[in-house]
Amino acid sequence: MQSYTIGQAARLLGVSPDTARRWADGGRFATHRDDNGRRLIDGRDLAAFSVEVAQTGQGDEDMPYTSARNAFPGIVTAVKLGDIAAQVEIQAGPHRLVSLLTREAVEELGLEVGMQATARVKSTSVHIDRA
């Protein structure tokens, strides 16, 4: 399972690294240390926390979350596979994006809950890029 540094988690949550550190220090999500002493957050824990923050509107940043060239970097929060089609949900800061794509595409990208991905939006289509 992929883990994230405090800085990476902050970017995915759409908050400052200081806010992410305060949340970790306050027990809002669990962290562990790697061999170099960096604090890491498990991808599944970060995915669940990002959904909670978005649903409760608990982000405390004054800075708006914006996309550059319609790209929404975030974390995969759900993957639902059917026989042919699939549904992938990404939490990008306060934005929840859902994309319907082929099962084959999800498998080729290796998408799973907790991994970083970018949703790219053009008109009514959402394309997913693996980070």
Short mmCIF file of all heavy atoms in Angstrom, two decimals, residues 42-90:
data_model
loop_
_atom_site.label_atom_id
_atom_site.label_comp_id
_atom_site.label_asym_id
_atom_site.label_seq_id
_atom_site.Cartn_x
_atom_site.Cartn_y
_atom_site.Cartn_z
N ASP A 42 -0.76 6.12 5.83
CA ASP A 42 -1.19 5.04 4.97
C ASP A 42 -2.22 5.56 3.97
O ASP A 42 -3.11 6.35 4.32
CB ASP A 42 -1.80 3.93 5.83
CG ASP A 42 -2.33 2.79 4.99
OD1 ASP A 42 -1.51 2.04 4.45
OD2 ASP A 42 -3.57 2.68 4.87
N GLY A 43 -2.11 5.12 2.71
CA GLY A 43 -3.00 5.60 1.65
C GLY A 43 -4.48 5.36 1.94
O GLY A 43 -5.31 6.23 1.67
N ARG A 44 -4.82 4.20 2.48
CA ARG A 44 -6.23 3.92 2.79
C ARG A 44 -6.74 4.86 3.89
O ARG A 44 -7.87 5.34 3.82
CB ARG A 44 -6.43 2.47 3.20
CG ARG A 44 -6.29 1.53 2.03
CD ARG A 44 -6.78 0.13 2.37
NE ARG A 44 -6.59 -0.76 1.25
CZ ARG A 44 -7.47 -0.92 0.27
NH1 ARG A 44 -8.59 -0.26 0.28
NH2 ARG A 44 -7.22 -1.75 -0.73
N ASP A 45 -5.91 5.12 4.89
CA ASP A 45 -6.31 6.05 5.96
C ASP A 45 -6.51 7.45 5.41
O ASP A 45 -7.46 8.15 5.76
CB ASP A 45 -5.27 6.08 7.09
CG ASP A 45 -5.19 4.78 7.86
OD1 ASP A 45 -6.15 3.98 7.80
OD2 ASP A 45 -4.15 4.56 8.53
N LEU A 46 -5.59 7.88 4.52
CA LEU A 46 -5.70 9.21 3.93
C LEU A 46 -6.93 9.31 3.05
O LEU A 46 -7.63 10.34 3.05
CB LEU A 46 -4.44 9.56 3.14
CG LEU A 46 -4.40 10.95 2.54
CD1 LEU A 46 -4.52 12.03 3.62
CD2 LEU A 46 -3.12 11.14 1.75
N ALA A 47 -7.24 8.26 2.30
CA ALA A 47 -8.44 8.26 1.45
C ALA A 47 -9.69 8.45 2.30
O ALA A 47 -10.55 9.28 1.98
CB ALA A 47 -8.53 6.96 0.65
N ALA A 48 -9.80 7.69 3.39
CA ALA A 48 -10.98 7.80 4.27
C ALA A 48 -11.05 9.19 4.90
O ALA A 48 -12.12 9.80 4.97
CB ALA A 48 -10.93 6.73 5.35
N PHE A 49 -9.91 9.70 5.34
CA PHE A 49 -9.90 11.02 5.98
C PHE A 49 -10.27 12.11 4.98
O PHE A 49 -10.99 13.05 5.32
CB PHE A 49 -8.53 11.30 6.60
CG PHE A 49 -8.47 12.62 7.31
CD1 PHE A 49 -9.11 12.79 8.53
CD2 PHE A 49 -7.78 13.68 6.77
CE1 PHE A 49 -9.07 14.01 9.19
CE2 PHE A 49 -7.73 14.90 7.42
CZ PHE A 49 -8.38 15.07 8.63
N SER A 50 -9.80 11.99 3.72
CA SER A 50 -10.11 13.03 2.73
C SER A 50 -11.60 13.10 2.45
O SER A 50 -12.16 14.19 2.25
CB SER A 50 -9.33 12.79 1.44
OG SER A 50 -9.79 11.65 0.76
N VAL A 51 -12.28 11.95 2.45
CA VAL A 51 -13.73 11.94 2.25
C VAL A 51 -14.41 12.61 3.45
O VAL A 51 -15.32 13.42 3.29
CB VAL A 51 -14.24 10.49 2.06
CG1 VAL A 51 -15.76 10.44 2.09
CG2 VAL A 51 -13.72 9.93 0.75
N GLU A 52 -13.96 12.29 4.66
CA GLU A 52 -14.53 12.89 5.88
C GLU A 52 -14.38 14.41 5.86
O GLU A 52 -15.34 15.15 6.14
CB GLU A 52 -13.83 12.33 7.11
CG GLU A 52 -14.26 12.98 8.42
CD GLU A 52 -13.36 12.56 9.57
OE1 GLU A 52 -12.88 11.41 9.59
OE2 GLU A 52 -13.14 13.40 10.47
N VAL A 53 -13.21 14.90 5.52
CA VAL A 53 -12.96 16.35 5.49
C VAL A 53 -13.86 17.02 4.45
O VAL A 53 -14.45 18.07 4.71
CB VAL A 53 -11.47 16.64 5.19
CG1 VAL A 53 -11.26 18.11 4.86
CG2 VAL A 53 -10.62 16.26 6.39
N ALA A 54 -13.99 16.40 3.28
CA ALA A 54 -14.81 17.00 2.23
C ALA A 54 -16.29 17.01 2.61
O ALA A 54 -17.00 17.99 2.34
CB ALA A 54 -14.62 16.24 0.92
N GLN A 55 -16.77 15.93 3.24
CA GLN A 55 -18.18 15.84 3.59
C GLN A 55 -18.56 16.78 4.73
O GLN A 55 -19.67 17.28 4.78
CB GLN A 55 -18.54 14.40 3.96
CG GLN A 55 -18.56 13.48 2.78
CD GLN A 55 -18.82 12.03 3.16
OE1 GLN A 55 -18.71 11.63 4.31
NE2 GLN A 55 -19.15 11.24 2.17
N THR A 56 -17.64 17.01 5.64
CA THR A 56 -17.94 17.85 6.79
C THR A 56 -17.49 19.29 6.60
O THR A 56 -17.75 20.13 7.44
CB THR A 56 -17.31 17.28 8.08
OG1 THR A 56 -15.89 17.22 7.90
CG2 THR A 56 -17.85 15.91 8.39
N GLY A 57 -16.78 19.56 5.49
CA GLY A 57 -16.32 20.93 5.24
C GLY A 57 -15.35 21.41 6.30
O GLY A 57 -15.35 22.58 6.66
N GLN A 58 -14.48 20.53 6.79
CA GLN A 58 -13.59 20.88 7.89
C GLN A 58 -12.27 21.49 7.45
O GLN A 58 -11.44 21.78 8.29
CB GLN A 58 -13.32 19.65 8.76
CG GLN A 58 -14.54 19.15 9.45
CD GLN A 58 -14.26 17.87 10.21
OE1 GLN A 58 -13.17 17.33 10.19
NE2 GLN A 58 -15.27 17.39 10.88
N GLY A 59 -12.05 21.63 6.17
CA GLY A 59 -10.81 22.27 5.74
C GLY A 59 -10.77 23.70 6.26
O GLY A 59 -11.74 24.42 6.18
N ASP A 60 -9.63 24.11 6.81
CA ASP A 60 -9.58 25.44 7.42
C ASP A 60 -8.67 26.39 6.66
O ASP A 60 -8.17 27.34 7.23
CB ASP A 60 -9.15 25.34 8.89
CG ASP A 60 -7.74 24.80 9.09
OD1 ASP A 60 -7.10 24.42 8.10
OD2 ASP A 60 -7.29 24.77 10.23
N GLU A 61 -8.48 26.16 5.40
CA GLU A 61 -7.65 27.03 4.59
C GLU A 61 -8.50 28.13 3.95
O GLU A 61 -9.60 27.88 3.50
CB GLU A 61 -6.96 26.23 3.48
CG GLU A 61 -6.03 25.17 4.00
CD GLU A 61 -4.80 25.74 4.66
OE1 GLU A 61 -4.27 26.76 4.17
OE2 GLU A 61 -4.37 25.18 5.66
N ASP A 62 -7.95 29.32 3.91
CA ASP A 62 -8.63 30.43 3.23
C ASP A 62 -8.38 30.38 1.73
O ASP A 62 -9.10 30.97 0.95
CB ASP A 62 -8.14 31.77 3.78
CG ASP A 62 -8.59 31.99 5.22
OD1 ASP A 62 -9.64 31.44 5.61
OD2 ASP A 62 -7.88 32.69 5.95
N MET A 63 -7.34 29.68 1.34
CA MET A 63 -6.95 29.60 -0.05
C MET A 63 -7.92 28.69 -0.81
O MET A 63 -8.15 27.56 -0.40
CB MET A 63 -5.53 29.01 -0.10
CG MET A 63 -4.93 28.93 -1.44
SD MET A 63 -3.20 28.42 -1.38
CE MET A 63 -3.24 27.01 -0.31
N PRO A 64 -8.50 29.16 -1.92
CA PRO A 64 -9.40 28.30 -2.69
C PRO A 64 -8.63 27.21 -3.41
O PRO A 64 -7.48 27.40 -3.78
CB PRO A 64 -10.04 29.26 -3.69
CG PRO A 64 -9.04 30.35 -3.86
CD PRO A 64 -8.34 30.48 -2.52
N TYR A 65 -9.28 26.08 -3.61
CA TYR A 65 -8.68 24.99 -4.37
C TYR A 65 -9.03 25.20 -5.84
O TYR A 65 -10.20 25.32 -6.19
CB TYR A 65 -9.23 23.65 -3.88
CG TYR A 65 -8.54 22.49 -4.51
CD1 TYR A 65 -7.32 22.04 -4.01
CD2 TYR A 65 -9.07 21.86 -5.61
CE1 TYR A 65 -6.68 20.98 -4.59
CE2 TYR A 65 -8.42 20.80 -6.20
CZ TYR A 65 -7.22 20.36 -5.69
OH TYR A 65 -6.58 19.31 -6.28
N THR A 66 -8.02 25.28 -6.66
CA THR A 66 -8.26 25.51 -8.08
C THR A 66 -7.54 24.45 -8.89
O THR A 66 -6.61 23.81 -8.41
CB THR A 66 -7.78 26.90 -8.52
OG1 THR A 66 -6.37 26.96 -8.30
CG2 THR A 66 -8.47 28.00 -7.76
N SER A 67 -7.95 24.28 -10.14
CA SER A 67 -7.27 23.33 -11.01
C SER A 67 -6.47 24.09 -12.06
O SER A 67 -6.85 25.16 -12.49
CB SER A 67 -8.28 22.42 -11.68
OG SER A 67 -9.06 23.17 -12.58
N ALA A 68 -5.38 23.50 -12.45
CA ALA A 68 -4.58 24.04 -13.54
C ALA A 68 -4.86 23.18 -14.76
O ALA A 68 -4.68 21.96 -14.71
CB ALA A 68 -3.11 24.01 -13.19
N ARG A 69 -5.32 23.80 -15.85
CA ARG A 69 -5.65 23.09 -17.08
C ARG A 69 -6.62 21.94 -16.81
O ARG A 69 -6.48 20.86 -17.35
CB ARG A 69 -4.40 22.58 -17.77
CG ARG A 69 -3.52 23.70 -18.23
CD ARG A 69 -2.36 23.16 -19.01
NE ARG A 69 -1.50 24.28 -19.38
CZ ARG A 69 -0.29 24.14 -19.82
NH1 ARG A 69 0.23 22.95 -19.97
NH2 ARG A 69 0.43 25.18 -20.14
N ASN A 70 -7.58 22.17 -15.93
CA ASN A 70 -8.62 21.18 -15.63
C ASN A 70 -8.08 19.87 -15.07
O ASN A 70 -8.64 18.81 -15.28
CB ASN A 70 -9.50 20.91 -16.85
CG ASN A 70 -10.19 22.16 -17.33
OD1 ASN A 70 -10.61 22.99 -16.53
ND2 ASN A 70 -10.32 22.30 -18.63
N ALA A 71 -6.97 19.94 -14.32
CA ALA A 71 -6.40 18.76 -13.70
C ALA A 71 -6.69 18.81 -12.20
O ALA A 71 -6.50 19.84 -11.56
CB ALA A 71 -4.89 18.71 -13.93
N PHE A 72 -7.19 17.72 -11.66
CA PHE A 72 -7.53 17.63 -10.24
C PHE A 72 -6.71 16.51 -9.59
O PHE A 72 -7.14 15.37 -9.55
CB PHE A 72 -9.03 17.34 -10.07
CG PHE A 72 -9.92 18.44 -10.52
CD1 PHE A 72 -10.28 18.56 -11.86
CD2 PHE A 72 -10.41 19.38 -9.63
CE1 PHE A 72 -11.11 19.58 -12.29
CE2 PHE A 72 -11.24 20.40 -10.05
CZ PHE A 72 -11.58 20.50 -11.38
N PRO A 73 -5.51 16.83 -9.07
CA PRO A 73 -4.73 15.79 -8.38
C PRO A 73 -5.43 15.44 -7.08
O PRO A 73 -5.93 16.31 -6.37
CB PRO A 73 -3.38 16.46 -8.14
CG PRO A 73 -3.65 17.92 -8.18
CD PRO A 73 -4.84 18.12 -9.09
N GLY A 74 -5.49 14.16 -6.78
CA GLY A 74 -6.16 13.73 -5.56
C GLY A 74 -5.80 12.32 -5.19
O GLY A 74 -4.78 11.78 -5.62
N ILE A 75 -6.67 11.71 -4.42
CA ILE A 75 -6.46 10.36 -3.94
C ILE A 75 -7.69 9.52 -4.28
O ILE A 75 -8.82 9.99 -4.17
CB ILE A 75 -6.16 10.36 -2.42
CG1 ILE A 75 -5.76 8.97 -1.94
CG2 ILE A 75 -7.31 10.93 -1.63
CD1 ILE A 75 -5.16 8.96 -0.55
N VAL A 76 -7.44 8.29 -4.72
CA VAL A 76 -8.54 7.38 -5.08
C VAL A 76 -9.23 6.94 -3.79
O VAL A 76 -8.59 6.44 -2.87
CB VAL A 76 -8.02 6.16 -5.86
CG1 VAL A 76 -9.16 5.19 -6.16
CG2 VAL A 76 -7.35 6.60 -7.16
N THR A 77 -10.54 7.17 -3.72
CA THR A 77 -11.31 6.81 -2.53
C THR A 77 -12.23 5.61 -2.74
O THR A 77 -12.69 5.02 -1.77
CB THR A 77 -12.15 8.00 -2.03
OG1 THR A 77 -13.00 8.44 -3.08
CG2 THR A 77 -11.24 9.14 -1.59
N ALA A 78 -12.49 5.25 -4.00
CA ALA A 78 -13.33 4.08 -4.27
C ALA A 78 -13.08 3.60 -5.69
O ALA A 78 -12.88 4.39 -6.60
CB ALA A 78 -14.81 4.41 -4.10
N VAL A 79 -13.09 2.26 -5.84
CA VAL A 79 -13.00 1.62 -7.15
C VAL A 79 -14.05 0.52 -7.17
O VAL A 79 -14.02 -0.38 -6.34
CB VAL A 79 -11.61 1.02 -7.42
CG1 VAL A 79 -11.59 0.30 -8.75
CG2 VAL A 79 -10.53 2.10 -7.37
N LYS A 80 -15.00 0.63 -8.09
CA LYS A 80 -16.05 -0.39 -8.22
C LYS A 80 -15.92 -1.02 -9.60
O LYS A 80 -16.11 -0.35 -10.60
CB LYS A 80 -17.42 0.25 -8.03
CG LYS A 80 -17.61 0.87 -6.66
CD LYS A 80 -18.91 1.62 -6.57
CE LYS A 80 -18.98 2.34 -5.21
NZ LYS A 80 -19.99 3.37 -5.19
N LEU A 81 -15.58 -2.31 -9.61
CA LEU A 81 -15.37 -3.01 -10.87
C LEU A 81 -16.59 -3.83 -11.26
O LEU A 81 -17.14 -4.57 -10.44
CB LEU A 81 -14.18 -3.96 -10.75
CG LEU A 81 -12.82 -3.31 -10.51
CD1 LEU A 81 -11.77 -4.38 -10.28
CD2 LEU A 81 -12.44 -2.42 -11.68
N GLY A 82 -17.01 -3.69 -12.51
CA GLY A 82 -18.04 -4.55 -13.09
C GLY A 82 -17.38 -5.50 -14.06
O GLY A 82 -16.15 -5.55 -14.15
N ASP A 83 -18.18 -6.24 -14.79
CA ASP A 83 -17.61 -7.18 -15.77
C ASP A 83 -16.87 -6.44 -16.89
O ASP A 83 -15.81 -6.86 -17.32
CB ASP A 83 -18.70 -8.05 -16.38
CG ASP A 83 -19.29 -9.02 -15.37
OD1 ASP A 83 -18.59 -9.33 -14.37
OD2 ASP A 83 -20.43 -9.47 -15.58
N ILE A 84 -17.43 -5.32 -17.32
CA ILE A 84 -16.85 -4.56 -18.43
C ILE A 84 -16.49 -3.13 -18.01
O ILE A 84 -15.45 -2.62 -18.37
CB ILE A 84 -17.82 -4.52 -19.62
CG1 ILE A 84 -18.05 -5.93 -20.14
CG2 ILE A 84 -17.30 -3.61 -20.72
CD1 ILE A 84 -19.12 -6.06 -21.18
N ALA A 85 -17.35 -2.49 -17.24
CA ALA A 85 -17.16 -1.10 -16.85
C ALA A 85 -16.67 -1.01 -15.40
O ALA A 85 -16.74 -1.97 -14.64
CB ALA A 85 -18.47 -0.33 -17.00
N ALA A 86 -16.20 0.18 -15.05
CA ALA A 86 -15.73 0.44 -13.69
C ALA A 86 -16.07 1.88 -13.32
O ALA A 86 -16.26 2.73 -14.19
CB ALA A 86 -14.23 0.20 -13.58
N GLN A 87 -16.13 2.13 -12.02
CA GLN A 87 -16.36 3.47 -11.50
C GLN A 87 -15.22 3.78 -10.54
O GLN A 87 -14.93 3.00 -9.64
CB GLN A 87 -17.69 3.52 -10.77
CG GLN A 87 -18.00 4.87 -10.17
CD GLN A 87 -19.36 4.87 -9.51
OE1 GLN A 87 -20.35 4.42 -10.08
NE2 GLN A 87 -19.41 5.37 -8.29
N VAL A 88 -14.59 4.94 -10.74
CA VAL A 88 -13.48 5.37 -9.88
C VAL A 88 -13.84 6.72 -9.28
O VAL A 88 -14.25 7.63 -10.00
CB VAL A 88 -12.17 5.48 -10.69
CG1 VAL A 88 -11.04 6.02 -9.82
CG2 VAL A 88 -11.78 4.13 -11.28
N GLU A 89 -13.69 6.84 -7.96
CA GLU A 89 -13.92 8.11 -7.27
C GLU A 89 -12.58 8.66 -6.79
O GLU A 89 -11.76 7.91 -6.26
CB GLU A 89 -14.84 7.90 -6.07
CG GLU A 89 -16.23 7.50 -6.45
CD GLU A 89 -17.15 7.35 -5.25
OE1 GLU A 89 -16.91 8.01 -4.22
OE2 GLU A 89 -18.10 6.56 -5.35
N ILE A 90 -12.40 9.96 -6.99
CA ILE A 90 -11.20 10.65 -6.52
C ILE A 90 -11.63 11.83 -5.67
O ILE A 90 -12.54 12.59 -6.05
CB ILE A 90 -10.34 11.14 -7.72
CG1 ILE A 90 -9.77 9.94 -8.46
CG2 ILE A 90 -9.24 12.08 -7.26
CD1 ILE A 90 -8.93 10.29 -9.65
#
